[in-house]
Amino acid sequence: MSKEKSLMRTCICIYILIGCISLSYAQENTKIPLPTNLEQGYPRLYITNSEKKELQKTINKETWAKDVLAGLHDKVDAHVERHVSDPEWMVSRLQMHWKTKATNIYVNGVNFSHADGEAPVPTVRFVGARDYTTPYGKPKLEDILPYMDDPRGLYLPNRNKEGNPFEWVHPGKTGRVIYSINEEIIRLARDAAFINWLESEEEYAEFSFDIFHKYMEGMSYRSEPIDLLNGHIQTLVGFTNFQVIHEGVLIDIAELYDFLHPYIEANHPQHITMYDKTIKRWTDQVIKNGVPQNNWNLHQAKIILKAAMVLQDDRYYEDKKGREYYIDYILNVTSARQWSLTKFMDYGYDKDNGVWAECPGYSMGVTKDLTHFIEDFNNTFDHNILPYMPVMESAVKMLPQYLFPNGETVAFGDSYYGPLSSEPMSDMIRIAQKNDNQKLEEEFTGLYRLFADNESDKTRKPRANISSFFASKPLEINPKYQKGNLDDYVTQTFYAPNVSWHVQRMGTGKNGMMASLNASLGNHMHANGINMELYGKGFVQGSDPGKGAGYLQPVYLEYYSQFPAHNTVMVDGVSSYTEMLSYHAFDLMGQYPKSEQKEGYYKDITYSDVYFLEPETQSDQSRLVSIVKTGEDTGYYVDVFRSKKQREGDKFHDYYYHNLGQTMKVMDADGNPLSLTPSEEMGFAGGHLYALDYMWDKNSMKLSDDYQAEWKIDMPEGENDVFMNLWMIGTEGREVFSIKSPPNKAFKKHNLPYDVGKSPYLTFAARQHGEAWEHPFVSVYEPFMSSEGKSISSISSFEDENKNKEFVGLKVQHKSGREDLVFSTVNNQIAIYAQMSTDATYALFGKEKNGDMVLFMGNGTQQRTNDIAISSTEKGNVVVEIKGGKMYLHNEVPVIITKGDVENEYPVGAYRLIE
């Protein structure tokens, strides 16, 4: 190479390097611009003085607005009236250190310990415990002792005793009661401040000010709580609560201060400096503590934003930390425990599919909170930050992927089953309308109309909250924008690697089918290995049990968050790892069709194949799940779960499956009850998980033959009962159990005919003594209804004629005359049975009574029958369907199809008719 060419290449490389560095620097330093022309007067959070007349017109004109204002009056009028003659009544109910005037708060880990120090005025109490679970209730305001500050503690009703008698109790045993009482009183003062601003009735201002001043004066002397254990809690505490994300009363204080500010300026201006300083200290505490890598960051940002917006501009303060400083902080500044909005979103969202890296309940909540935040920011500052958060459109549009065919969302981890909230969609519509973005409005109106009836939204009665006049006023839908198509948002398979979740589904309603698999990657996850949720006939029958109780409660830590509570396989009775923020994902080894593929595939078969390293025992675990649809209202699931320890020495592997229903039967392959006897083998004794001792009424039997379990949801008379039938291959070393488990707590609302949250969760377990790789758990699940009965007439297993011990073979006979043969191989070894062969990880040979046929090859290179052969030089998915004498093909890899003596090559192509 000449020197000139060498020099030129060097220069080009330098230019490219400089360009990359510049681009990287630009990306890292991209800032969300701050709003300009900030309102200088008060109020300013929801509305300004110049907009008051318009609001008054709305109230006079609109029934919903009249009702909101009437509701506010209903809440505060009696208290304001009493305050005129008894100004101490409400103030004295505040939870303060009235006598001791303590400044220093000490906590012992997650519980309040004591307080000391002395201020010149009463100071605000700290909450009792991080865990809100307590037998003591929040009294009615009239039952609270005035000026309660007694060495005996708090005087509260004990809800665990008959008649709920009042007792003295140490604050550390009272959960959230202290905070809740203060929050209720502050919110009454806030509403009174708003009414005073709107209607110029000074008695409302006096009521509000007396409460506000006493509280803020007391807060001004309070210091940061000290954890006597010097532990993690020290990095979480706020001024009123163990977690800065629960400092929501600061938002109430900000709203109160915003509407009361004109009154304070006119009557008590000498206190403004103290109020501002206290709000700034409080806000700094929210920034200083917390957890940035999950939904905490956003909850903190919401609090910071409200507090910041009632401060003056930076220039008014000696430290230059005013409104602009704090707004910029949450948008663009990153510190140890409060990340910028952009870093927070970059960390948590998968930019390819819009999934937030927490369990579904929290993920959907973060997306909803973010759209609320964007809309709130837009309304307050007339400043649209959505263009600087482009992932939000994907994040809202992916929400339907969480849905089962009955419209309930998946609920693994700390989640609940329930309908999909349409609020993020309506937020996007409001943002689009305010910024005249018709394309955005049309897109999200179509999505919104799939999940919310806009007519009912118009007539829905807003709550008696100040915010209802502004952010929550009825949404106006443009009638020219039509309802969208669900298939544009929900796909047959969907994979979210950032939460290790894979779903496969077919259809909607009672006859739809869906299997959801998840591991434990992200926040608010459980230790559950490869967990499965299973749908059937209108219900998420194989459902997750929820979190059961508060995160610090033993039943959550020891049972609900652990392997035995889930539909998974546990090794040696000890499989576990860190729940909550977890880092244990599965690897997706194969799937059909491709994630988010919308067309061009065979619609009656799906599968997923995942691998998981169980970390406690260093075990290889593989789960292959398939849906096979055999008719409009019939179909079944195949579940092949292999598990073995890498270092041998396998004691046993336990397959757990929990299903809804009032009854469960365990039977042999012919449907005869098995003679199970009481067993103590599955318990904590022997060095196993505590979770096993939460389960009871355990009965078992050792057997090597095939067996079944069947659950029944006994519906009211006149309605079809709903069933789930599980058939499983028997093998040497197998033991089966019927078990009662703690109730399923994941259904807040449901249409089940029994109290699922208080009934035992009926559980089937299969224990394989020794390894479960050559003796895997091989299951066929069929949901059905009493009116139809099962569509499968018999199931049996067969072996590989090549004697591969890791092979699984199933023969599924249907009442319709259809016959399916299922092959599952390991390491692409060729398996042969009855003139059929394949090396696919998963293969299905399906033949209808009329001669129609389907050959499915999942992650293989060859599949043969006696008259058709599929071959490829690449591993991949191929479907050949023969229907009505015509042949159809979908191949994700190039293939050669041989039929008889005719051989044809086909490049990669979507599902299509071929010659």
Side-chain angles (χ1 to χ4, degrees), residues 203-254:
E203 62 267 28
Y204 289 88
E206 291 169 353
F207 171 81
S208 179
F209 176 78
D210 287 350
I211 294 168
F212 175 75
H213 179 73
K214 183 63 69 175
Y215 188 91
M216 291 298 286
E217 186 180 46
M219 184 60 75
S220 71
Y221 286 96
R222 271 282 318 282
S223 59
E224 176 182 358
I226 297 170
D227 180 14
L228 297 173
L229 300 180
N230 195 30
H232 176 52
I233 292 297
Q234 192 65 66
T235 70
L236 304 181
V237 290
F239 282 164
T240 68
N241 222 298
F242 275 88
Q243 301 176 170
V244 289
I245 57 167
H246 292 159
E247 296 283 72
V249 71
L250 178 52
I251 294 178
D252 301 324
I253 286 290

Side-chain angles (χ1 to χ4, degrees), residues 298-324:
L298 179 58
H299 291 316
Q300 290 167 245
K302 291 189 296 183
I303 296 168
I304 296 164
L305 179 64
K306 291 292 187 184
M309 284 157 54
V310 295
L311 295 174
Q312 299 286 343
D313 292 345
D314 290 354
R315 66 181 184 273
Y316 284 94
Y317 303 105
E318 188 175 343
D319 61 3
K320 304 303 179 187
K321 290 169 61 175
R323 184 164 39 165
E324 302 98 321

Side-chain angles (χ1 to χ4, degrees), residues 173-430:
K173 298 179 180 180
T174 63
R176 194 175 189 261
V177 172
I178 292 169
Y179 178 89
S180 296
I181 293 172
N182 283 343
E183 181 181 52
E184 180 181 1
I185 295 171
I186 294 297
R187 286 180 173 177
L188 289 171
R190 175 199 61 189
D191 294 345
F194 170 78
I195 293 173
N196 166 69
W197 170 78
L198 182 70
E199 300 178 348
S200 301
E201 298 287 347
E202 192 155 304
E203 62 267 28
Y204 289 88
E206 291 169 353
F207 171 81
S208 179
F209 176 78
D210 287 350
I211 294 168
F212 175 75
H213 179 73
K214 183 63 69 175
Y215 188 91
M216 291 298 286
E217 186 180 46
M219 184 60 75
S220 71
Y221 286 96
R222 271 282 318 282
S223 59
E224 176 182 358
I226 297 170
D227 180 14
L228 297 173
L229 300 180
N230 195 30
H232 176 52
I233 292 297
Q234 192 65 66
T235 70
L236 304 181
V237 290
F239 282 164
T240 68
N241 222 298
F242 275 88
Q243 301 176 170
V244 289
I245 57 167
H246 292 159
E247 296 283 72
V249 71
L250 178 52
I251 294 178
D252 301 324
I253 286 290
E255 293 172 344
L256 190 167
Y257 190 37
D258 190 44
F259 286 109
L260 194 62
H261 211 282
Y263 172 84
I264 295 172
E265 290 177 49
N267 298 278
H268 307 282
Q270 71 275 18
H271 298 308
I272 289 177
T273 299
M274 180 267 286
Y275 297 151
D276 285 8
K277 183 178 179 181
T278 302
I279 289 173
K280 285 169 50 151
R281 285 181 62 246
W282 202 345
T283 305
D284 288 338
Q285 182 70 14
V286 175
I287 290 173
K288 176 178 176 286
N289 280 353
V291 182
Q293 70 272 8
N294 58 29
N295 63 327
W296 279 49
N297 199 85
L298 179 58
H299 291 316
Q300 290 167 245
K302 291 189 296 183
I303 296 168
I304 296 164
L305 179 64
K306 291 292 187 184
M309 284 157 54
V310 295
L311 295 174
Q312 299 286 343
D313 292 345
D314 290 354
R315 66 181 184 273
Y316 284 94
Y317 303 105
E318 188 175 343
D319 61 3
K320 304 303 179 187
K321 290 169 61 175
R323 184 164 39 165
E324 302 98 321
Y325 169 84
Y326 289 108
I327 294 171
D328 185 55
Y329 206 103
I330 58 177
L331 295 181
N332 299 306
V333 178
T334 291
S335 54
R337 295 186 178 87
Q338 181 66 45
W339 290 350
S340 69
L341 200 57
T342 47
K343 178 174 180 177
F344 162 72
M345 296 179 69
D346 285 344
Y347 171 87
Y349 275 113
D350 185 324
K351 291 182 177 59
D352 293 329
N353 57 33
V355 175
W356 175 259
E358 298 194 70
C359 71
Y362 280 78
S363 173
M364 291 182 284
V366 166
T367 294
K368 181 171 71 173
D369 286 342
L370 274 168
T371 58
H372 282 351
F373 183 90
I374 297 166
E375 188 202 356
D376 194 16
F377 203 94
N378 197 20
N379 287 335
T380 302
F381 299 118
D382 198 22
H383 183 55
N384 183 19
I385 60 175
L386 180 61
Y388 303 95
M389 305 160 74
V391 75
M392 289 311 300
E393 292 188 37
S394 298
V396 177
K397 286 190 284 189
M398 72 72 46
L399 293 175
Q401 295 282 16
Y402 284 122
L403 292 175
F404 279 99
N406 64 352
E408 291 185 338
T409 57
V410 293
F412 57 86
D414 295 334
S415 301
Y416 295 94
Y417 294 101
L420 188 66
S421 171
S422 61
E423 288 183 46
M425 307 160 200
S426 62
D427 285 340
M428 295 296 279
I429 296 170
R430 294 176 194 272

Side-chain angles (χ1 to χ4, degrees), residues 422 425-426 429 444-452 457 475 477:
S422 61
M425 307 160 200
S426 62
I429 296 170
F444 284 97
T445 299
L447 176 58
Y448 172 80
R449 281 188 153 172
L450 285 169
F451 300 101
D457 186 77
L475 176 66
I477 291 293

Side-chain angles (χ1 to χ4, degrees), residues 435-464:
N435 293 282
D436 196 26
N437 187 334
Q438 295 181 15
K439 181 180 177 183
L440 191 73
E441 182 182 1
E442 181 176 8
E443 182 169 20
F444 284 97
T445 299
L447 176 58
Y448 172 80
R449 281 188 153 172
L450 285 169
F451 300 101
D453 185 336
N454 59 296
E455 290 303 318
S456 65
D457 186 77
K458 278 186 178 181
T459 57
R460 179 169 50 93
K461 188 175 181 180
R463 292 182 298 173

